[in-house]
Amino acid sequence: MDAPYGPPETDGPLLVIVDGANVVGSRPDGWWRDRRGAAERLRDRLAAEGLPGRAGPVEIVLVLEGAARGVPSVPGVRVEEAPGSGDDRIVELAAGNTHRARLVVTADRELRRRVTDLGADVTGPCAVLG
């Protein structure tokens, strides 16, 4: 079940952790021909639009893996490169920030289960893609 972006902030702005591979892969727009370029476009969209429908500050972390690695952070979006599994890195980020509200953007069922077990909220790719 998608939550309405978590409980009130406890220690800092809402932490939005975006599963880059899953969000990019949710639309058949040719992303597989240029995974890094697709990740850069997602990063730029997140930097420009933030989290649509969310008033107030958010901290956005875009987790990338595989061929999408090498995309730098920009103001408004911190890029985290997963040394292995992107899902494992997302879980680490969610687990390391239990003192604040967290929202993970993914459609991956197993990842959703893992992060909700840690108290994070989840939403699907449409939350950032419209």
Side-chain angles (χ1 to χ4, degrees), residues 26-43:
S26 70
R27 296 226 168 126
D29 61 1
W31 59 264
W32 52 89
R33 290 188 294 268
D34 181 10
R35 293 171 194 257
R36 184 174 172 175
E40 288 172 342
R41 288 188 297 279
L42 175 58
R43 177 208 56 198

Side-chain angles (χ1 to χ4, degrees), residues 25-78:
S26 70
R27 296 226 168 126
D29 61 1
W31 59 264
W32 52 89
R33 290 188 294 268
D34 181 10
R35 293 171 194 257
R36 184 174 172 175
E40 288 172 342
R41 288 188 297 279
L42 175 58
R43 177 208 56 198
D44 294 347
R45 181 178 189 146
L46 292 167
E49 299 177 13
L51 182 63
R54 168 70 183 188
V58 296
E59 178 185 353
I60 299 175
V61 178
L62 174 61
V63 176
L64 300 176
E65 63 187 0
R69 288 189 195 115
V71 173
S73 297
V74 296
V77 179
R78 184 176 89 228

Side-chain angles (χ1 to χ4, degrees), residues 80-124:
E80 288 274 335
E81 293 185 352
S85 162
D87 289 2
D88 290 346
R89 183 66 186 129
I90 290 166
V91 170
E92 288 171 5
L93 289 166
N97 287 280
T98 57
H99 59 283
R100 63 195 288 197
R102 293 146 296 148
L103 176 67
V104 176
V105 181
T106 188
D108 182 301
R109 285 186 180 163
E110 176 60 16
L111 178 57
R112 291 168 74 99
R113 184 200 59 77
R114 291 173 68 190
V115 297
T116 56
D117 285 352
L118 296 168
D121 293 318
V122 294
T123 192

